[in-house]
Amino acid sequence: MSVSRRQFLAGATALAASLAAAGSLSACSSDAKAQQAYVNGKIYTCNDENPWVEAIAVADGKFIGVGTTEEIKKMTDGKTEVVDLEGKTVIPGLIEGHTHFSFMAAMNSLGYVEIPNGIDTVKGCLAQLEKFVKDHPDYDQYVIGNFNQTLDMGAKDLDKICADKPVACVGMGLHCLYVNSKFMEVGKITKDTKDAIPGETYYVRDKDGKPTGKIVELPQSWTAFQQTIKLDNEKVKKEYVKLQKLYHSYGFIGIADGGFLGLDEENMLKVITELESEGRLSMLVNTSSIWYGHTVTPIEEITERVTGNKEKYTTDLCRPGTVKMWSDGTIGAYSALMREPYSDKKDTSGVQLSTVDDLTACANMCKENDLNAHFHAIGDKAIDHVLDAFEAVGETPGTKSIVHFQLDSADIIKRAAKIDGLIVNMTPSWGNALIPEEIKPLGDRTSYNGMYKEAMNAGITVNFGADSNGDPAAWNPSLIMTIAMIRNPKEDGIFLKGEPCTFEEVVKAYSLNVAKERRIEDEYGSIEVGKLANFVVWDKEAMDDAVALGELGVALEAGTKASFAEQVFFKGEPVMTLK
């Protein structure tokens, strides 16, 4: 499939109109002198009272002036470094709204790779595993990903390839594992091991009740992973720094981590804060604590752990204080919880991973302890359950957010808009025909798959995140923002029908609105006097060429990188410069 020129022209028109604007309002610290001044630019601030300016002044890592070039030049002296932007676009430093950054650093430290897309047979997947094991004979455990989540495969198959070391094959949506006998031996998984939620998240068993090596859904998958796979923290740190560099290249100065999954939470918080104390962390990390519900962990225990870690590990660059729960699974695994059965699998409507009672209990726990509630819900019925919980808990000091909010029909959007302060995190890249596992099972329901603009129009605060753990191209905010801008309500094609967003809306969704969800908007998310000087200078020529020629569409189809960040600044200091 190809992206039509009409679709790209729609995006180009919106972008051009946005970049042509320039505000005349200004804000400057009275007598302060700039250490750096950036002038003659097209700067989008994310401040509705002063959205477009020409220049900014920076001192001691903060913005001290935002206004016209003439105004900012008055704040300079002989010591000021003055940079002529030559008409380039500048936006606030981006914050990834939903990623499993720490999880990926840990996986990479294990040598984790993903098998190519499209391999969905047992024979094909086992061939990929066999090659991986053969290519890495020195590994003492094997973790490999992107396996089809509906395979009839288990330990008997994996043991033929590797029987003496733990093996974990991860499902493409991270919602299942295929493991070998050694994995179960090390993890002490036996016939007597209880299922987390029988019938919902569990060990597939043989007729005698013995686990076969397939583990369905979380939390069962990742509790087993944590008790079996061992990490080397120094290797994890090295991978953390590598990932940080990649994220900087995309324009990110911060992340909202969606949970540590099969990792020890306190250990990962130690890794992050140690990196900071060693001077190797140059981005903000907002972490999330996971609660899988009372059948896995008593609420008293999770409360003590979350509040204790928040008190112990909150630093300048590490911000715990958000609790993550799953209401359901994923569409690709047929475990997203739906009001009606799947179009191509009529015998299931998905999986309920948390009851409304547990979701409500978690929201109340967050309310009582000044924490943020962050609930995963993809299917329409799962969203209904989260809205039930948020309605029951009422006003809270922390934020209430739904991550994915994918099957969001008009009645759901209308109901969600009534939840005071609700924030939803969405992934526009899922709303296209290039991800068939997110489209095919929906049938006619693709018409309300990811209605991000419609949610914005209803007054809901929307932020964006990639939620990708594989191909780095999928993490690229340039692609996701462009998809959101060129979605077309009248034309069929590679992108699903829906209202397109403006340039300003997509930038806010990747900056200020993420900051609001994590309650850091007094420091991050916009270009305003007094806030940290986090900003991105775009490679204007590459950006203009891509939009005009449709190269983004080519990049989308090929899965290649198309990032347009020329320079990225964190607290006034460059953390990435395009060479």
Side-chain angles (χ1 to χ4, degrees):
M1 285 185 189
S2 62
V3 180
S4 76
R5 186 168 182 80
R6 187 185 309 173
Q7 287 174 307
F8 269 97
L9 287 175
T13 300
L15 180 61
S18 299
L19 300 186
S24 59
L25 296 175
S26 64
C28 302
S29 300
S30 56
D31 299 320
K33 292 298 179 183
Q35 293 170 341
Q36 297 89 27
Y38 301 85
V39 300
N40 297 321
K42 294 177 180 177
I43 302 171
Y44 178 56
T45 67
C46 283
N47 177 357
D48 290 341
E49 295 181 358
N50 191 21
W52 286 94
V53 298
E54 297 175 326
I56 52 178
V58 175
D60 298 324
K62 294 185 176 182
F63 295 114
I64 63 168
V66 178
T68 66
T69 293
E70 182 180 351
E71 289 167 333
I72 296 305
K73 282 186 174 180
K74 291 178 181 178
M75 302 181 69
T76 65
D77 58 20
K79 298 179 181 179
T80 304
E81 177 189 3
V82 179
V83 178
D84 190 338
L85 293 168
E86 300 178 338
K88 292 175 182 174
T89 302
V90 175
I91 62 173
L94 302 179
I95 309 171
E96 166 58 61
H98 188 76
T99 178
H100 293 281
F101 188 97
S102 301
F103 169 82
M104 282 310 303
M107 294 300 100
N108 290 346
S109 77
L110 297 168
Y112 173 88
V113 297
E114 295 204 331
I115 68 173
N117 290 327
I119 299 175
D120 56 4
T121 65
V122 171
K123 183 178 179 180
C125 289
L126 290 175
Q128 291 293 316
L129 173 63
E130 185 171 18
K131 181 179 184 303
F132 180 61
V133 171
K134 184 178 180 180
D135 290 346
H136 303 93
D138 56 326
Y139 284 11
D140 56 9
Q141 53 195 355
Y142 294 99
V143 183
I144 183 171
N146 204 35
F147 283 69
N148 184 291
Q149 300 187 121
T150 61
L151 298 175
D152 182 16
M153 185 173 76
K156 60 181 175 55
D157 305 294
L158 274 55
D159 289 348
K160 295 176 184 178
I161 296 169
C162 181
D164 60 340
K165 302 175 185 179
V167 175
C169 300
V170 184
M172 67 177 66
L174 304 183
H175 284 249
C176 85
L177 289 178
Y178 303 97
V179 303
N180 70 346
S181 297
K182 192 66 176 181
F183 180 103
M184 291 190 285
E185 176 189 328
V186 173
K188 299 180 180 179
I189 299 166
T190 69
K191 178 180 179 179
D192 296 327
T193 302
K194 294 182 178 180
D195 292 334
I197 308 175
E200 304 286 358
T201 173
Y202 54 90
Y203 296 100
V204 175
R205 301 172 186 269
D206 63 18
K207 59 183 178 60
D208 298 320
K210 183 180 178 181
T212 64
K214 181 172 182 178
I215 311 175
V216 174
E217 270 301 336
L218 44 78
Q220 197 72 81
S221 297
W222 295 109
T223 52
F225 187 94
Q226 182 177 332
Q227 65 198 34
T228 304
I229 301 298
K230 309 305 178 187
L231 297 178
D232 180 326
N233 279 1
E234 290 306 311
K235 289 183 178 180
V236 175
K237 287 182 184 179
K238 289 180 181 178
E239 296 300 330
Y240 220 96
V241 173
K242 288 181 184 178
L243 273 181
Q244 177 179 256
K245 184 177 181 181
L246 176 64
Y247 270 53
H248 284 330
S249 76
Y250 290 148
F252 290 121
I253 53 78
I255 60 168
D257 201 308
F260 297 132
L261 291 175
L263 312 176
D264 179 85
E265 179 180 339
E266 185 167 13
N267 182 63
M268 290 309 300
L269 288 169
K270 286 179 180 177
V271 166
I272 296 166
T273 52
E274 285 174 7
L275 281 171
E276 181 179 2
S277 66
E278 294 164 6
R280 299 164 65 193
L281 191 64
S282 57
M283 65 192 303
L284 178 71
V285 182
N286 300 276
T287 68
S288 299
S289 301
I290 293 174
W291 187 41
Y292 291 121
H294 77 278
T295 61
V296 178
T297 309
I299 194 166
E300 296 80 12
E301 182 179 327
I302 185 68
T303 303
E304 182 178 358
R305 173 162 61 83
V306 172
T307 54
N309 285 342
K310 180 183 177 183
E311 181 178 353
K312 186 175 181 180
Y313 292 103
T314 296
T315 65
D316 182 38
L317 298 183
C318 181
R319 305 290 178 90
T322 297
V323 182
K324 168 84 175 285
M325 282 198 79
W326 277 264
S327 180
D328 65 346
T330 69
I331 291 172
Y334 294 89
S335 56
L337 188 62
M338 314 286 276
R339 292 173 175 173
E340 303 293 336
Y342 285 89
S343 63
D344 59 344
K345 198 172 183 180
K346 299 293 186 180
D347 60 339
T348 183
S349 298
V351 171
Q352 178 176 293
L353 293 180
S354 296
T355 65
V356 174
D357 285 346
D358 270 2
L359 292 166
T360 305
C362 184
N364 274 313
M365 184 260 285
C366 290
K367 179 177 182 177
E368 292 165 3
N369 293 280
D370 195 20
L371 302 167
N372 304 322
H374 184 70
F375 293 163
H376 166 118
I378 285 181
D380 42 17
K381 190 171 183 179
I383 297 173
D384 284 334
H385 288 175
V386 174
L387 293 176
D388 287 342
F390 284 158
E391 287 170 348
V393 77
E395 187 175 346
T396 63
T399 59
K400 301 185 288 288
S401 63
I402 302 176
V403 58
H404 304 315
F405 198 66
Q406 193 170 342
L407 269 292
D408 44 6
S409 55
D411 67 301
I412 284 177
I413 290 175
K414 183 177 180 180
R415 184 183 176 194
K418 296 178 181 179
I419 305 289
D420 184 49
L422 178 67
I423 299 173
V424 299
N425 174 271
M426 305 179 79
T427 305
S429 58
W430 291 357
N432 70 82
L434 294 174
I435 311 181
E437 67 271 12
E438 294 293 330
I439 303 301
K440 182 182 176 183
L442 298 178
D444 293 340
R445 283 168 288 190
T446 57
S447 62
Y448 57 94
N449 178 29
M451 309 304 286
Y452 28 87
K453 175 64 172 181
E454 291 77 0
M456 293 176 185
N457 289 344
I460 300 170
T461 299
V462 175
N463 62 40
F464 288 164
D467 193 29
S468 175
N469 305 288
D471 184 354
W475 305 336
N476 193 336
S478 305
L479 300 182
I480 289 176
M481 290 192 291
T482 301
I483 291 170
M485 289 174 60
I486 63 177
R487 191 162 175 172
N488 195 315
K490 298 180 181 179
E491 183 177 337
D492 291 322
I494 196 169
F495 300 111
L496 303 183
K497 291 183 179 182
E499 293 294 328
C501 298
T502 67
F503 177 76
E504 291 89 343
E505 287 170 334
V506 297
V507 172
K508 266 190 181 179
Y510 251 131
S511 53
L512 184 59
N513 291 353
V514 183
K516 287 180 177 179
E517 182 193 328
R518 296 302 172 123
R519 288 193 286 169
I520 54 172
E521 70 270 27
D522 56 335
E523 303 171 274
Y524 291 86
S526 61
I527 297 174
E528 298 182 63
V529 169
K531 288 194 176 185
L532 296 172
N534 304 322
F535 59 99
V536 180
V537 180
W538 291 97
D539 181 345
K540 184 177 183 297
E541 183 177 350
M543 189 176 186
D544 288 348
D545 286 348
V547 174
L549 301 177
E551 289 177 359
L552 278 177
V554 176
L556 276 169
E557 292 188 354
T560 57
K561 178 180 176 181
S563 181
F564 308 120
E566 182 177 285
Q567 278 192 299
V568 181
F569 293 82
F570 181 57
K571 297 187 177 183
E573 297 295 327
V575 291
M576 193 286 292
T577 299
L578 190 66
K579 296 181 179 179

